[in-house]
Structures are given as C-alpha cells and as structure tokens.
Amino acid sequence: MPSFHHTVHFWLKPDLTDIQRADFLAAAKAIADSPNVATCRVGVPAGTDRPVVDNSYDLQLHCVFASQADHDAYQSPDDQVHTNFINTYKSFWTRVLIHDSIDA
C-alpha cells in the first residue's frame, strides 16, 4: 500500500510576535503526536535562489501517513491533535496551501 504524503505551507500574519511564532512552530512539531501520523517534519524556506522555487511561505509541515485511511482519520474531528492545532492557531495564518500525494 502506498504512503500518503500531506504537505502544508503556511503564510503567517506579519504582526505575530516572536513568542506567537515560537508557539506556532512548537505546535506544528507536536502534530507528530497524532496517532494517525507515521512521520512528520517541519521546515522553513531554504532561501534557494532559483526562479522556480517559492520561498514566500513561512513554515512547511510535511506529514506521512501509512495509508489514505490514516490521513482521513487525521482530518476527522476525532483526531484531537490536528483539531486542536487548527482551532488554536487558525487565526495565525493568512494563507494555507496543501499538496497531497501518494507514492508512485
């Protein structure tokens, strides 16, 4: 069964304090605590200077799930880690862009 990849790019509000940004980063890393997530990483733009690279986002969350069913469970209200993250921090971002994929 192919793995399911969920990549989320966040553009944060420019007026967030350093403490709010640190809280958001810690909360994004804690997404790994979801029982539905196999692996999770959090990154920031590498600043790669190439025309095809978008460095405009503030934070990238990349979660891997063992199956689409695990991803779907993560998206449900029953996944308190994910639900609490959204409810607590949705006011911190101005834009979210998500790419979902499965192993080819």
Side-chain angles (χ1 to χ4, degrees):
M1 180 178 303
S3 296
F4 191 99
H5 298 256
H6 178 70
T7 305
V8 185
H9 292 89
F10 295 95
W11 284 260
L12 300 177
K13 291 182 176 177
D15 60 345
L16 293 180
T17 66
D18 290 343
I19 291 171
Q20 288 172 311
R21 287 177 178 271
D23 287 348
F24 184 80
L25 175 62
K29 289 180 177 181
I31 290 288
D33 296 336
S34 165
N36 297 299
V37 173
T39 62
C40 181
R41 66 163 293 282
V42 176
V44 296
T48 310
D49 188 17
R50 296 177 49 222
V52 296
V53 177
D54 180 357
N55 288 301
S56 67
Y57 64 93
D58 293 292
L59 189 119
Q60 179 192 71
L61 172 70
H62 181 81
C63 297
V64 179
F65 301 88
S67 67
Q68 185 167 349
D70 286 350
H71 167 265
D72 294 348
Y74 168 80
Q75 294 294 342
S76 80
D78 295 333
D79 188 313
Q80 289 301 301
V81 173
H82 184 229
T83 300
N84 290 341
F85 173 78
I86 292 171
N87 290 338
T88 303
Y89 293 99
K90 63 185 173 188
S91 67
F92 280 39
W93 60 73
T94 60
R95 180 179 177 210
V96 174
L97 179 64
I98 299 171
H99 293 106
D100 288 338
S101 64
I102 58 172
D103 293 338

